[in-house]
């Protein structure tokens, strides 16, 4: 395993990861990091990294300052050792940093209601240990200096020390002022922890006392004058007392630490785990990495995969698939074309995933957990062992073949190289067959032309190549799955100016079968490029259609709101007009009755006419409005198949489903849309679909097949056929059907999958098993 980690540059990746740790605890965890072979453990690690990445996304940072690796300090205190002041200060700082980290995570979960189950579980285990932190910080400052307030005795002793120092300095300053001519310099200095002055050699006898040192020339003596000897002795004694008191304080604090060593060591383990998780999250952010979908079935589907050790400006993302219809991928192409990079990308990303790291791929990429990963990459020729390149490779391959099984990933670089091409190619084919029979997943690179046809003659094997641009004479590093690499020797030679006659004669030396293979490969490359372009165009059209649908939906909603506002305003105005007309009519009737009471000639039929006018005071509807009103009344009885007009779009359609009393699904051309009842206008001449008994409907079974074959269909036509087929299958009472779309470029398969995913009557859609058609067939379960 160590050799595989080395050739796949796992340690270099870990060096990048270690740049994101916040403490020596995390750095140690990174150095110990190894891939796991347990899927459950890997999934936990991946979820922890995802949680760390989520915290970085919505908080921008995770507080992890002031934390030290104090394992050695703690263990020494446990066996009775006395810790230094700076060691105790590191313990206090680590306790504080752990408590702040715990507070940060707990508040995210309990107050902001973030979903962080794994980080929360880690954080909850951190013990506060506040009393120890407080005890240490009361005695020691941030620079590791024992404070005067650590004890009353220390305060008194230090007061004496400062008093003695002041007395000594005062005496010596007097001497330097009065005897400056006898001194080499008017300064006070220290030798052997005692205050001295620099006296010229010839004035030695003038001061008496003790000589502690002399200059290199011997012209200056550092003398402790007799007048300060006693004071220096008192100062020295006071400093000894100070040191003893400091040692007593440190011993007491160390004893307190020894009482909580188990809790502290557990905290350190948790902090180390959290530092590693946070480092993984930071690394994922730098790489723009995502969490892959993990399986144990040997299925790999890497989308836009990037090698983490190659600069983002230089790397060309690749798509790699393995484990579905094929377990062996044979990559051919020119040297320096990127074959080995592809091999290392698959291997290193698998190791990263099994170490709990996110990998630099697009979302929804799939990766498999392997029990063993083998790699034969690079020239490992050993001069000491007198092994050739071929012998070195074969020695390694023999060891691989002894251990390989169905839970293995095997990476072969230039398989069979270093010997006679015919024999090397034969050996390579035999080795690939053996590994395939053992059930392993294989990615191999080669430049042998014999292996180009290997994939066509073996089930479960797929060709791939690295694209080469003949015009620029440089590889593009794009991986083309399904297309074998072709020789570019003639094209490159022609591009570089080699005589056409020479190229022609060389071409004549190649048999017709080889020429046919090369022509086939050229055709495949062109087909692949065309398919890729069409897929890109289809994706662009789909995005435009989605955008247009969103815009139309938004416009429809805005029009509906505006329509309701106008109708409300019109109703309000109409009500006001009617109310005003009623008031005026009532006044006229009252006047007529008053006139009648006074004996004036007002006939009863005139009052009846006035009432009639009152009843007719409401606003009159136009014939068109009457028709709309009549149709609106009919809308309450809309049935499946009724032809209607969607007012906000001005388009005709038919009712295909009733969602509720106020909403229907309307089919307009190829588009289905949920429309409110108020936005529908019933069309008189439409004929509703007669509802047949279930037994009658199931009579369709005779002409609706259990499978739909889309091979050869264009994308848009295929999508329409799938929608109609699902409806027919539902009416026929089928519970399960098959849609055959073929493999091809994968664009049609992807479109069918997306349509089925959002279809309201599709329960599940899965790839068919190998005996059912494999990836070229999708089995649909209907609800």
């Amino acid at each position: 395993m160590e050799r595989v980690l080395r050739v796949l540059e796992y340690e270099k990746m870990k060096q990048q990861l270690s740049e994101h740790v916040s403490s020596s605890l995390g750095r140690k965890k990174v150095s110990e990091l190894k891939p796991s072979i347990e899927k459950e453990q890997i999934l936990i690690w991946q979820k922890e990294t995802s949680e760390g990445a989520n915290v970085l996304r919505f908080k921008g940072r995770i507080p992890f300052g002031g934390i030290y690796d104090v394992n050695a300090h703690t263990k020494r205190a446990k066996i009775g050792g006395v810790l230094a002041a700076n060691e105790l200060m590191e313990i206090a700082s680590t306790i504080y940093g752990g408590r702040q980290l715990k507070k940060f995570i707990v508040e995210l979960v309990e107050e902001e209601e973030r979903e962080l189950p794994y980080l929360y579980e880690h954080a909850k285990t951190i013990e506060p240990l506040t009393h120890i932190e407080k005890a240490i910080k009361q005695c020691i400052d941030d620079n590791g200096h024992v404070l005067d307030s650590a004890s009353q005795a220390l305060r008194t002793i230090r007061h004496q020390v400062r008093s003695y120092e002041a007395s000594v300095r005062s005496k010596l300053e007097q001497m330097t002022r009065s005897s400056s001519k006898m001194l080499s310099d008017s300064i006070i200095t220290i030798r052997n922890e005692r205050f001295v002055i620099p006296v010229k050699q010839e004035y030695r006898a003038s001061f008496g006392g003790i000589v502690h040192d002399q200059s290199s020339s011997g012209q200056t003596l550092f003398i402790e004058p007799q007048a300060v000897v006693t004071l220096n002795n008192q100062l020295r004694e006071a400093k000894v007392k100070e040191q003893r008191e400091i040692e007593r304080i440190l011993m007491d604090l160390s004893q307190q630490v020894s009482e909580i060593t188990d809790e502290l060591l557990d905290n350190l383990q948790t902090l180390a785990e959290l530092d590693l998780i946070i480092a993984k999250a930071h690394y994922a952010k730098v790489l723009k990495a995502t969490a892959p979908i993990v399986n144990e079935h040997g299925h790999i589907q890497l989308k836009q995969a990037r090698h983490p050790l190659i600069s983002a400006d230089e790397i060309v993302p690749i798509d790699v698939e393995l484990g579905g219809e094929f377990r062996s991928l044979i990559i051919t192409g020119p040297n320096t074309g990127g074959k080995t990079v592809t091999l290392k990308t698959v291997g290193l990303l698998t190791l990263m995933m099994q170490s709990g790291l996110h990998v630099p791929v697009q979302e929804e990429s799939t990766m498999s957990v392997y029990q063993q990963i083998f790699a034969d990459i690079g020239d490992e020729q050993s001069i000491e062992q007198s092994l050739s390149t071929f012998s070195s490779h074969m020695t390694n391959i023999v060891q691989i073949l002894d251990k390989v099984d169905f839970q293995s990933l095997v990476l072969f670089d230039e398989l069979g190289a270093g010997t006679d091409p015919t024999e090397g190619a034969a050996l390579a084919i035999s080795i690939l067959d053996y590994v395939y029979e053992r059930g392993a997943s294989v990615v191999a690179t080669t430049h042998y032309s014999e292996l180009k046809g290997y994939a066509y003659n073996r089930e479960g094997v797929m060709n791939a190549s690295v694209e080469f641009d003949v015009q620029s004479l440089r590889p593009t590093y794009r991986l083309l799955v399904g297309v074998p690499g072709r020789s570019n020797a003639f094209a490159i030679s022609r591009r570089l100016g080699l005589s056409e006659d020479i190229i022609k004669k060389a071409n004549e030396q190649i048999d017709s079968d080889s020429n046919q293979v090369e022509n086939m490969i050229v055709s495949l490359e062109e087909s692949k490029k065309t398919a890729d372009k069409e897929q890109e165009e289809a994706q662009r059209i789909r995005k435009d259609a989605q955008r247009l649908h969103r815009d139309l939906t938004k416009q429809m909603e805005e029009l509906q709101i505006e329509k309701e506002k106008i109708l409300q305003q019109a109703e309000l105005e109409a009500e006001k007009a009617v109310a005003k007309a009623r008031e005026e009519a009532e006044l006229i009737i009252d006047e007529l009755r008053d006139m009648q009471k006074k004996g004036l000639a007002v006939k009863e039929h005139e009052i009846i006419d006035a009432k009639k006018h009152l009843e007719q005071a409401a606003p009159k509807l136009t014939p068109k409005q009457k028709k709309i009103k009549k149709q609106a009344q009919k809308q309450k009885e809309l049935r499946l198949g009724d032809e209607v007009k969607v007012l906000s779009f001005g388009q005709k359609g038919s009712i295909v489903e009733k969602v509720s009393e106020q909403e229907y699904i309307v089919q307009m051309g190829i588009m289905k849309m949920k429309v409110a009842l108020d936005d529908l206008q019933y069309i008189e001449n439409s004929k509703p679909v007669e509802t047949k008994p279930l037994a009658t409907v199931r009579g369709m079974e005779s002409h609706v097949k259990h499978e739909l074959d889309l091979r050869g269909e264009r994308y848009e036509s295929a999508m329409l056929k799938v929608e109609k087929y699902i409806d027919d299958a539902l009416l026929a009472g089928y519970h399960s059907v098959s849609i055959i779309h073929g493999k091809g470029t994968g664009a049609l398969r992807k479109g069918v999958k997306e349509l089925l995913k959002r279809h309201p009557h599709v329960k599940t859609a899965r790839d068919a098993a190998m005996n059912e058609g494999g990836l070229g067939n999708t089995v649909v379960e209907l609800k």
Side-chain angles (χ1 to χ4, degrees):
M1 187 63 177
E2 293 299 325
R3 182 182 180 279
V4 172
L5 296 179
R6 184 179 70 256
V7 298
L8 293 178
E9 301 177 292
Y10 183 75
E11 292 301 322
K12 291 183 180 178
M13 180 278 298
K14 281 168 55 173
Q15 289 175 11
Q16 288 187 345
L17 175 60
S18 65
E19 294 174 4
H20 301 284
V21 298
S22 300
S23 70
S24 53
L25 288 170
R27 191 167 291 106
K28 185 178 179 182
K29 290 293 289 185
V30 170
S31 68
E32 297 170 349
L33 184 64
K34 297 288 183 186
S36 173
I37 58 174
E38 301 293 334
K39 181 185 176 185
E40 294 306 316
Q41 180 62 69
I42 292 167
L43 289 175
I44 290 172
W45 285 349
Q46 287 287 341
K47 289 173 183 175
E48 288 175 343
T49 305
S50 295
E51 288 183 11
N54 287 339
V55 175
L56 288 179
R57 187 167 60 252
F58 51 70
K59 283 295 183 182
R61 66 176 191 89
I62 301 176
F64 208 96
I67 293 174
Y68 300 90
D69 183 359
V70 294
N71 275 287
H73 311 343
T74 306
K75 291 173 182 177
R76 197 162 75 253
K78 188 174 184 178
I79 60 175
V82 179
L83 303 181
N86 65 308
E87 293 175 332
L88 287 164
M89 196 62 238
E90 287 181 356
I91 289 175
S93 178
T94 301
I95 292 172
Y96 175 78
R99 195 168 67 254
Q100 291 300 109
L101 180 61
K102 177 179 182 177
K103 180 183 177 185
F104 176 80
I105 295 174
V106 169
E107 285 181 353
L108 280 177
V109 175
E110 296 182 356
E111 296 181 13
E112 298 188 23
E113 298 182 350
R114 304 286 186 179
E115 292 290 333
L116 305 170
Y118 291 98
L119 290 181
Y120 184 63
E121 195 62 34
H122 282 303
K124 284 197 304 182
T125 64
I126 298 175
E127 292 291 337
L129 304 177
T130 311
H131 63 290
I132 297 296
E133 178 200 345
K134 186 177 180 181
I136 293 173
K137 289 188 174 181
Q138 282 178 343
C139 297
I140 304 170
D141 66 13
D142 293 340
N143 297 316
H145 177 70
V146 179
L147 299 168
D148 293 357
S149 58
S151 73
Q152 185 59 45
L154 183 61
R155 186 191 303 274
T156 301
I157 293 168
R158 283 185 172 168
H159 179 72
Q160 292 175 350
V161 168
R162 286 189 286 270
S163 177
Y164 290 140
E165 282 182 348
S167 298
V168 172
R169 285 184 176 278
S170 177
K171 285 273 188 187
L172 292 177
E173 284 172 358
Q174 289 176 10
M175 290 181 184
T176 57
R177 285 195 298 269
S178 61
S179 308
S180 58
K181 293 181 180 180
M182 300 179 188
L183 304 178
S184 299
D185 198 355
S186 298
I187 61 170
I188 300 170
T189 185
I190 295 175
R191 290 292 187 274
N192 300 326
E193 298 185 5
R194 298 176 79 88
F195 287 99
V196 297
I197 55 177
V199 180
K200 294 178 181 178
Q201 174 68 34
E202 57 268 28
Y203 298 109
R204 161 71 183 84
S206 302
F207 290 90
I210 304 167
V211 177
H212 286 278
D213 198 3
Q214 68 177 8
S215 64
S216 57
S217 65
Q219 298 301 310
T220 300
L221 302 175
F222 293 94
I223 296 175
E224 178 185 0
Q226 188 62 44
V228 296
V229 169
T230 301
L231 285 173
N232 264 335
N233 287 340
Q234 292 172 333
L235 176 60
R236 178 63 182 154
E237 289 174 7
K239 286 190 174 182
V240 170
K241 289 180 181 179
E242 177 190 21
Q243 188 58 39
R244 287 176 181 169
E245 180 61 17
I246 288 173
E247 288 175 359
R248 187 195 66 76
I249 292 168
L250 297 179
M251 184 180 295
D252 180 58
L253 291 173
S254 300
Q255 175 62 32
Q256 293 184 54
V257 170
S258 71
E259 295 171 0
I260 51 93
T261 51
D262 292 340
E263 294 91 335
L264 187 53
L265 289 172
D266 288 343
N267 279 5
L268 291 172
Q269 181 63 30
T270 300
L271 290 171
E273 292 286 349
L274 288 170
D275 196 2
L276 177 60
I277 292 170
I278 296 166
K280 288 179 179 179
H282 277 290
Y283 191 40
K285 183 178 180 181
V286 170
L287 292 180
K288 298 180 180 178
T290 62
I293 300 168
V294 180
N295 68 86
E296 291 181 293
H297 314 304
H299 185 209
I300 296 176
Q301 187 178 26
L302 303 179
K303 302 176 182 178
Q304 297 293 287
R306 308 178 302 280
H307 196 289
L309 302 181
I310 301 178
S311 169
D313 298 331
E314 300 176 6
I315 189 67
V316 176
I318 58 173
D319 294 332
V320 181
E321 186 169 354
L322 190 68
E325 294 184 357
F326 52 91
R327 284 189 285 106
S328 295
L329 187 65
I330 313 301
I331 306 174
T332 53
N335 292 331
T336 72
K339 301 194 302 294
T340 303
V341 171
T342 298
L343 215 60
K344 287 187 173 182
T345 299
V346 173
L348 181 55
L349 265 55
T350 300
L351 292 175
M352 289 174 65
M353 177 273 294
Q354 294 189 202
S355 301
L357 286 99
H358 289 182
V359 290
V361 295
Q362 281 188 356
E363 291 184 355
E364 297 186 357
S365 291
T366 301
M367 301 189 74
S368 178
V369 176
Y370 293 101
Q371 299 297 305
Q372 301 179 96
I373 299 176
F374 301 104
D376 181 61
I377 299 175
D379 184 0
E380 304 232 0
Q381 181 174 353
S382 173
I383 297 176
E384 293 180 1
Q385 298 177 6
S386 300
L387 295 175
S388 67
T389 299
F390 177 75
S391 299
S392 175
H393 281 293
M394 197 51 59
T395 300
N396 188 36
I397 290 171
V398 168
Q399 295 173 354
I400 292 173
L401 298 182
D402 287 340
K403 301 173 184 176
V404 70
D405 60 18
F406 69 98
Q407 293 179 311
S408 303
L409 172 65
V410 186
L411 307 172
F412 289 127
D413 189 26
E414 296 296 348
L415 184 59
T419 187
D420 177 76
T422 303
E423 293 182 354
L427 267 175
I429 291 172
S430 181
I431 290 168
L432 289 171
D433 281 343
Y434 178 83
V435 175
Y436 183 83
E437 289 169 2
R438 297 294 292 270
S441 299
V442 185
V443 182
T445 70
T446 181
H447 57 265
Y448 288 140
S449 59
E450 289 84 350
L451 267 73
K452 295 176 184 178
Y454 173 76
Y456 293 103
N457 301 322
R458 300 292 195 282
E459 184 179 354
V461 183
M462 178 62 72
N463 268 320
S465 61
V466 180
E467 188 179 47
F468 188 87
D469 187 348
V470 178
Q471 297 301 316
S472 63
L473 301 182
R474 297 185 63 178
T476 66
Y477 300 103
R478 289 181 63 239
L479 186 69
L480 305 176
V481 177
V483 180
R486 64 188 177 97
S487 172
N488 295 292
F490 291 165
I492 293 172
S493 299
R494 183 178 290 109
R495 180 73 176 159
L496 293 174
L498 186 65
S499 169
E500 191 64 35
D501 291 339
I502 296 175
I503 295 174
K504 184 177 179 181
K505 287 182 179 180
N507 198 32
E508 291 172 355
Q509 304 301 316
I510 300 176
D511 58 48
S512 60
D513 289 343
S514 297
N515 274 325
Q516 288 178 2
V517 169
E518 288 298 315
N519 292 335
M520 177 193 70
I521 293 172
V522 172
S523 176
L524 282 173
E525 286 185 353
E526 293 300 323
S527 299
K528 176 71 173 174
K529 290 178 181 177
T530 302
D532 287 345
K533 287 180 180 178
E534 289 181 354
Q535 184 177 8
E536 290 175 4
E537 179 66 14
Q539 289 176 346
R540 185 189 64 76
I541 293 171
R542 179 174 60 81
K543 288 179 181 178
D544 288 346
Q546 289 175 341
R547 179 182 54 77
L548 181 60
H549 181 268
R550 285 195 301 269
D551 292 345
L552 287 173
T553 302
K554 184 179 179 182
Q555 289 178 16
M556 187 178 74
E557 291 173 353
E558 291 175 351
L559 286 170
Q560 183 66 23
I561 293 170
E562 186 65 25
K563 173 185 172 184
E564 290 176 359
K565 286 181 180 178
I566 293 172
L567 288 173
Q568 289 174 358
Q569 184 64 28
E571 288 175 1
L572 185 61
E573 291 176 358
E575 288 175 1
K576 288 180 180 179
V578 171
K580 184 178 180 181
R582 286 182 183 278
E583 289 177 3
E584 291 177 354
E586 290 291 348
L587 287 173
I588 294 170
I589 292 171
D590 289 342
E591 289 177 1
L592 289 173
R593 290 196 180 279
D594 288 341
M595 291 172 64
Q596 194 177 43
K597 288 177 182 178
K598 292 176 181 179
L600 297 176
V602 179
K603 296 181 180 179
E604 188 64 30
H605 72 86
E606 292 177 337
I607 297 176
I608 293 171
D609 287 342
K611 285 186 175 181
K612 187 176 180 181
H613 288 307
L614 174 63
E615 292 171 358
Q616 295 174 349
K620 301 294 187 294
L621 295 175
T622 65
K624 186 176 181 181
Q625 288 173 326
K626 289 179 181 179
K627 183 180 180 180
I628 292 173
K629 184 176 180 181
K630 183 179 179 182
Q631 290 172 346
Q633 292 171 346
K634 288 187 177 182
Q635 287 176 0
K636 298 177 182 178
E637 302 172 359
L638 289 177
R639 292 183 292 173
L640 298 183
D642 281 350
E643 190 174 353
V644 294
K645 181 177 182 180
V646 180
L647 300 177
S648 56
F649 280 85
Q651 296 289 326
K652 291 183 180 180
S654 60
I655 302 294
V656 296
E657 183 180 348
K658 181 178 181 180
V659 179
S660 67
E661 293 297 332
Q662 297 299 320
E663 285 186 317
Y664 291 84
I665 300 293
V666 179
Q667 177 88 43
M668 292 184 290
I670 65 170
M671 183 169 63
K672 289 182 180 179
M673 184 175 293
K674 186 187 292 184
V675 184
L677 177 64
D678 293 341
D679 197 24
L680 295 177
Q681 178 181 327
Y682 174 76
I683 298 177
E684 285 277 2
N685 296 328
S686 66
K687 296 181 180 179
V689 176
E690 294 182 8
T691 304
K692 297 181 180 179
L694 185 59
T696 307
V697 174
R698 282 184 176 166
M700 291 183 63
E701 198 168 325
S702 61
H703 63 270
V704 178
K705 296 182 179 180
H706 278 80
E707 61 183 31
L708 173 65
D709 193 343
L710 300 175
R711 288 174 293 185
E713 294 285 346
R714 293 191 63 82
Y715 184 87
E716 294 81 1
S717 174
M719 295 303 101
L720 291 174
K721 286 191 174 183
V722 171
E723 283 201 349
K724 184 178 183 306
Y725 177 69
I726 294 297
D727 292 340
D728 292 344
L730 285 166
L731 289 173
Y734 294 161
H735 298 292
S736 178
V737 296
S738 295
I739 297 178
I740 303 171
H741 42 65
K743 301 167 189 174
T745 63
L748 189 57
R749 174 174 174 262
K750 183 177 180 182
V752 169
K753 293 280 189 184
E754 290 179 352
L755 188 150
L756 294 173
K757 186 185 296 184
R758 61 176 182 267
H759 198 288
H761 293 293
V762 172
K763 186 175 182 181
T764 60
R766 62 173 177 84
D767 292 332
M770 293 299 292
N771 60 353
E772 296 176 315
L775 293 179
N777 182 21
T778 295
V779 179
V780 185
E781 187 177 349
L782 303 172
K783 29 177 169 176

